[in-house]
Coordinates of all heavy atoms in Angstrom, one line a residue:
A19 N 7.6 17.3 -18.8 CA 6.9 18.2 -19.6 C 7.5 19.6 -19.5 O 7.6 20.3 -20.5 CB 5.4 18.3 -19.1
A20 N 8.0 20.0 -18.3 CA 8.6 21.3 -18.1 C 9.9 21.3 -18.9 O 10.3 22.4 -19.6 CB 8.9 21.6 -16.6
A21 N 10.7 20.2 -19.0 CA 11.9 20.2 -19.7 C 11.7 20.3 -21.2 O 12.5 21.0 -21.9 CB 12.7 18.9 -19.4
L22 N 10.6 19.7 -21.7 CA 10.4 19.8 -23.1 C 9.9 21.2 -23.5 O 10.1 21.6 -24.7 CB 9.3 18.8 -23.5 CG 9.8 17.3 -23.6 CD1 8.6 16.4 -24.0 CD2 10.9 17.2 -24.7
W23 N 9.2 21.9 -22.6 CA 8.7 23.2 -22.9 C 9.8 24.3 -22.8 O 9.7 25.4 -23.5 CB 7.6 23.5 -22.0 CG 6.8 24.8 -22.4 CD1 6.7 25.3 -23.6 CD2 6.0 25.5 -21.5 NE1 5.9 26.4 -23.6 CE2 5.4 26.6 -22.2 CE3 5.7 25.5 -20.1 CZ2 4.6 27.5 -21.7 CZ3 4.8 26.4 -19.6 CH2 4.3 27.4 -20.4
A24 N 10.8 24.0 -22.0 CA 11.8 25.0 -21.8 C 12.5 25.6 -23.0 O 12.8 26.8 -23.1 CB 12.9 24.5 -20.8
P25 N 13.0 24.7 -24.0 CA 13.7 25.3 -25.1 C 12.9 26.3 -26.0 O 13.5 27.0 -26.8 CB 14.1 24.0 -25.9 CG 14.0 22.9 -25.0 CD 12.9 23.3 -24.0
F26 N 11.6 26.3 -25.9 CA 10.8 27.2 -26.7 C 10.4 28.4 -25.9 O 9.5 29.2 -26.4 CB 9.5 26.4 -27.1 CG 9.8 25.2 -27.9 CD1 9.9 23.9 -27.3 CD2 10.1 25.3 -29.3 CE1 10.1 22.8 -28.0 CE2 10.3 24.1 -30.0 CZ 10.4 22.9 -29.4
R27 N 11.1 28.7 -24.8 CA 10.9 29.9 -24.0 C 12.2 30.7 -24.0 O 13.2 30.2 -24.4 CB 10.5 29.5 -22.6 CG 9.2 28.7 -22.4 CD 8.0 29.5 -22.8 NE 7.8 30.6 -22.0 CZ 6.9 31.6 -22.1 NH1 6.0 31.5 -23.1 NH2 6.7 32.6 -21.3
S28 N 12.1 31.9 -23.6 CA 13.3 32.8 -23.6 C 14.3 32.3 -22.5 O 13.9 32.1 -21.4 CB 12.9 34.2 -23.3 OG 14.0 35.1 -23.1
W29 N 15.6 32.3 -22.9 CA 16.6 31.9 -22.0 C 17.5 33.1 -21.6 O 17.8 33.2 -20.4 CB 17.5 30.8 -22.7 CG 16.9 29.4 -22.6 CD1 15.7 29.1 -23.0 CD2 17.5 28.3 -22.1 NE1 15.4 27.8 -22.8 CE2 16.5 27.2 -22.3 CE3 18.7 27.9 -21.6 CZ2 16.8 25.9 -21.9 CZ3 19.0 26.6 -21.2 CH2 18.0 25.6 -21.3
Y30 N 17.9 33.9 -22.5 CA 18.7 35.1 -22.2 C 18.5 36.1 -23.2 O 18.7 35.9 -24.4 CB 20.2 34.7 -22.0 CG 21.0 35.7 -21.3 CD1 21.0 35.7 -19.9 CD2 21.8 36.6 -22.0 CE1 21.7 36.7 -19.2 CE2 22.6 37.5 -21.3 CZ 22.5 37.5 -19.9 OH 23.2 38.5 -19.2
N31 N 18.2 37.3 -22.7 CA 18.0 38.5 -23.6 C 17.0 38.2 -24.7 O 17.2 38.6 -25.9 CB 19.3 39.0 -24.2 CG 20.3 39.5 -23.1 OD1 19.8 40.0 -22.1 ND2 21.6 39.5 -23.4
G32 N 16.0 37.5 -24.4 CA 14.9 37.2 -25.4 C 15.3 36.1 -26.4 O 14.5 35.8 -27.3
R33 N 16.4 35.5 -26.2 CA 16.8 34.5 -27.1 C 16.3 33.1 -26.6 O 16.5 32.8 -25.5 CB 18.4 34.5 -27.2 CG 18.9 33.6 -28.3 CD 20.4 33.7 -28.3 NE 21.0 32.8 -29.3 CZ 22.3 32.6 -29.5 NH1 23.2 33.3 -28.7 NH2 22.8 31.8 -30.4
L34 N 15.7 32.4 -27.5 CA 15.1 31.1 -27.1 C 16.2 30.0 -26.9 O 17.3 30.1 -27.4 CB 14.1 30.6 -28.2 CG 12.9 31.5 -28.6 CD1 12.1 30.9 -29.6 CD2 12.1 31.9 -27.3
G35 N 15.8 29.0 -26.1 CA 16.8 27.9 -25.9 C 17.1 27.1 -27.1 O 18.3 26.6 -27.1
R36 N 16.2 27.0 -28.0 CA 16.6 26.2 -29.2 C 17.5 27.0 -30.2 O 17.9 26.4 -31.2 CB 15.3 25.9 -30.0 CG 14.5 27.0 -30.4 CD 13.1 26.6 -31.0 NE 12.3 27.7 -31.5 CZ 12.4 28.2 -32.7 NH1 13.3 27.8 -33.5 NH2 11.6 29.2 -33.0
D37 N 17.9 28.2 -29.8 CA 18.8 29.0 -30.7 C 20.3 28.8 -30.2 O 21.2 29.3 -30.9 CB 18.5 30.5 -30.6 CG 17.1 30.7 -31.3 OD1 16.8 29.9 -32.2 OD2 16.5 31.7 -31.0
F38 N 20.5 28.2 -29.0 CA 21.8 28.0 -28.5 C 22.3 26.6 -29.0 O 21.7 25.6 -28.8 CB 21.8 28.1 -27.0 CG 21.5 29.4 -26.4 CD1 20.2 29.8 -26.1 CD2 22.5 30.4 -26.3 CE1 20.0 31.0 -25.6 CE2 22.3 31.6 -25.8 CZ 21.0 32.0 -25.5
R39 N 23.6 26.6 -29.5 CA 24.2 25.4 -29.9 C 24.6 24.6 -28.7 O 25.3 25.1 -27.8 CB 25.3 25.6 -30.9 CG 24.9 26.3 -32.2 CD 26.2 26.6 -33.0 NE 25.8 27.2 -34.3 CZ 26.7 27.5 -35.2 NH1 28.0 27.3 -35.0 NH2 26.2 28.1 -36.4
V40 N 24.3 23.3 -28.7 CA 24.6 22.5 -27.5 C 26.1 22.2 -27.4 O 26.7 22.1 -26.3 CB 23.8 21.2 -27.5 CG1 24.2 20.3 -28.7 CG2 23.9 20.4 -26.2
W41 N 26.8 22.0 -28.6 CA 28.2 21.6 -28.5 C 29.1 22.8 -28.1 O 30.2 22.6 -27.7 CB 28.7 21.0 -29.8 CG 28.6 21.9 -31.0 CD1 29.5 22.9 -31.3 CD2 27.7 21.9 -32.0 NE1 29.2 23.5 -32.5 CE2 28.0 22.9 -32.9 CE3 26.5 21.1 -32.3 CZ2 27.3 23.2 -34.1 CZ3 25.8 21.4 -33.4 CH2 26.2 22.4 -34.3
E42 N 28.5 24.1 -28.2 CA 29.3 25.2 -27.7 C 29.6 25.2 -26.2 O 30.5 25.9 -25.7 CB 28.6 26.5 -28.1 CG 28.6 26.8 -29.6 CD 27.9 28.1 -29.9 OE1 27.2 28.7 -29.0 OE2 28.0 28.5 -31.1
L43 N 28.8 24.4 -25.5 CA 29.0 24.3 -24.1 C 30.4 23.6 -23.7 O 30.9 23.7 -22.6 CB 27.9 23.6 -23.4 CG 26.5 24.2 -23.6 CD1 25.4 23.3 -22.9 CD2 26.4 25.6 -23.1
F44 N 30.9 22.8 -24.7 CA 32.1 22.1 -24.5 C 33.3 22.6 -25.2 O 34.3 21.9 -25.3 CB 31.8 20.6 -24.8 CG 30.6 20.0 -24.2 CD1 29.4 19.9 -24.8 CD2 30.7 19.5 -22.9 CE1 28.3 19.4 -24.2 CE2 29.6 19.0 -22.3 CZ 28.4 18.9 -22.9
T45 N 33.2 23.8 -25.8 CA 34.3 24.4 -26.6 C 34.9 25.5 -25.8 O 34.3 26.0 -24.8 CB 33.8 24.9 -27.9 OG1 32.8 25.9 -27.7 CG2 33.3 23.7 -28.8
G46 N 36.1 25.9 -26.2 CA 36.8 27.0 -25.5 C 36.1 28.3 -25.8 O 36.2 29.2 -24.9
A47 N 35.5 28.5 -26.9 CA 34.9 29.8 -27.3 C 33.7 30.0 -26.5 O 33.3 31.2 -26.2 CB 34.6 29.8 -28.8
G48 N 33.0 29.0 -26.1 CA 31.8 29.2 -25.2 C 30.6 29.5 -26.1 O 30.5 29.2 -27.3
V49 N 29.6 30.1 -25.5 CA 28.4 30.4 -26.1 C 28.6 31.6 -27.0 O 29.1 32.6 -26.7 CB 27.3 30.7 -25.1 CG1 26.0 31.1 -25.8 CG2 27.0 29.5 -24.2
T50 N 28.1 31.5 -28.3 CA 28.2 32.5 -29.3 C 26.8 33.0 -29.7 O 25.8 32.4 -29.2 CB 28.9 32.1 -30.5 OG1 28.2 31.0 -31.1 CG2 30.3 31.6 -30.1
D51 N 26.7 33.9 -30.6 CA 25.4 34.4 -31.1 C 24.9 33.7 -32.3 O 23.9 34.0 -32.9 CB 25.5 35.9 -31.4 CG 25.8 36.8 -30.2 OD1 25.4 36.3 -29.1 OD2 26.4 37.9 -30.3
S52 N 25.6 32.6 -32.7 CA 25.3 31.8 -33.8 C 24.0 31.1 -33.6 O 23.8 30.6 -32.4 CB 26.4 30.9 -34.3 OG 27.6 31.6 -34.5
G53 N 23.2 30.9 -34.6 CA 22.0 30.1 -34.4 C 22.2 28.7 -34.5 O 23.4 28.2 -34.8
A54 N 21.2 27.9 -34.3 CA 21.4 26.4 -34.3 C 20.1 25.8 -34.8 O 19.0 26.3 -34.7 CB 21.8 25.9 -33.0
G55 N 20.2 24.6 -35.3 CA 19.0 23.8 -35.7 C 18.3 23.2 -34.4 O 18.9 23.3 -33.3
L56 N 17.2 22.7 -34.6 CA 16.4 22.2 -33.4 C 17.1 21.1 -32.7 O 17.3 21.2 -31.4 CB 15.0 21.7 -33.9 CG 14.0 21.3 -32.7 CD1 13.8 22.4 -31.8 CD2 12.8 20.7 -33.3
F57 N 17.6 20.1 -33.4 CA 18.2 19.0 -32.7 C 19.7 19.2 -32.5 O 20.4 18.3 -32.0 CB 18.0 17.7 -33.5 CG 16.6 17.2 -33.5 CD1 15.7 17.5 -34.6 CD2 16.1 16.5 -32.4 CE1 14.4 17.1 -34.5 CE2 14.8 16.0 -32.4 CZ 13.9 16.3 -33.5
A58 N 20.2 20.4 -32.8 CA 21.6 20.7 -32.5 C 21.6 21.8 -31.4 O 22.7 22.3 -31.0 CB 22.3 21.2 -33.7
S59 N 20.5 22.1 -30.8 CA 20.4 23.1 -29.8 C 20.2 22.5 -28.5 O 20.3 21.3 -28.3 CB 19.2 24.1 -30.2 OG 18.0 23.4 -30.1
M60 N 19.9 23.4 -27.5 CA 19.6 22.9 -26.1 C 18.4 22.0 -26.0 O 18.1 21.4 -25.0 CB 19.4 24.1 -25.2 CG 20.7 24.9 -25.0 SD 22.0 23.9 -24.2 CE 21.2 23.5 -22.6
F61 N 17.6 21.9 -27.1 CA 16.5 21.0 -27.1 C 16.9 19.6 -27.1 O 16.1 18.8 -26.5 CB 15.6 21.3 -28.4 CG 14.5 20.4 -28.6 CD1 13.3 20.5 -27.8 CD2 14.6 19.3 -29.5 CE1 12.3 19.6 -28.0 CE2 13.5 18.4 -29.7 CZ 12.4 18.6 -28.9
L62 N 18.0 19.2 -27.6 CA 18.5 17.8 -27.7 C 18.7 17.2 -26.3 O 18.1 16.2 -26.0 CB 19.7 17.7 -28.5 CG 20.3 16.3 -28.7 CD1 19.3 15.4 -29.3 CD2 21.6 16.3 -29.5
P63 N 19.5 17.8 -25.4 CA 19.7 17.2 -24.1 C 18.4 17.2 -23.2 O 18.2 16.2 -22.5 CB 20.8 18.0 -23.4 CG 20.8 19.3 -24.1 CD 20.4 19.0 -25.6
L64 N 17.6 18.2 -23.4 CA 16.4 18.2 -22.6 C 15.4 17.2 -23.1 O 14.7 16.6 -22.4 CB 15.7 19.6 -22.7 CG 16.6 20.8 -22.1 CD1 15.9 22.1 -22.2 CD2 17.0 20.5 -20.7
L65 N 15.4 16.9 -24.5 CA 14.6 15.9 -25.0 C 15.1 14.5 -24.5 O 14.2 13.6 -24.2 CB 14.7 15.9 -26.5 CG 13.9 14.8 -27.3 CD1 12.5 14.8 -27.0 CD2 14.2 14.8 -28.8
V66 N 16.4 14.3 -24.4 CA 16.9 13.0 -23.9 C 16.5 12.8 -22.4 O 16.0 11.7 -22.0 CB 18.4 13.0 -24.0 CG1 19.0 11.8 -23.3 CG2 18.8 13.0 -25.5
G67 N 16.5 13.9 -21.7 CA 16.1 13.8 -20.3 C 14.6 13.5 -20.1 O 14.2 12.7 -19.3
A68 N 13.8 14.1 -21.0 CA 12.4 13.8 -20.9 C 12.0 12.4 -21.3 O 11.2 11.7 -20.7 CB 11.6 14.8 -21.8
V69 N 12.7 11.9 -22.4 CA 12.5 10.5 -22.8 C 12.9 9.5 -21.7 O 12.2 8.5 -21.4 CB 13.3 10.2 -24.1 CG1 13.2 8.7 -24.5 CG2 12.7 11.1 -25.2
L70 N 14.0 9.7 -21.1 CA 14.4 8.9 -20.0 C 13.4 8.9 -18.8 O 13.2 7.9 -18.2 CB 15.8 9.3 -19.5 CG 17.0 9.0 -20.4 CD1 18.3 9.5 -19.8 CD2 17.1 7.5 -20.8
A71 N 12.9 10.1 -18.5 CA 11.9 10.2 -17.5 C 10.6 9.4 -17.8 O 10.1 8.7 -16.9 CB 11.6 11.7 -17.2

Side-chain angles (χ1 to χ4, degrees):
L22 285 178
W23 190 24
F26 302 95
R27 302 293 296 176
S28 175
W29 279 54
Y30 196 78
N31 292 335
R33 189 178 178 185
L34 302 181
R36 61 185 178 87
D37 294 333
F38 292 94
R39 295 179 179 179
V40 66
W41 64 78
E42 291 181 348
L43 302 179
F44 306 97
T45 61
V49 178
T50 64
D51 295 335
S52 301
L56 181 62
F57 289 98
S59 65
M60 292 297 298
F61 175 75
L62 180 60
L64 299 182
L65 175 63
V66 172
V69 171
L70 290 178

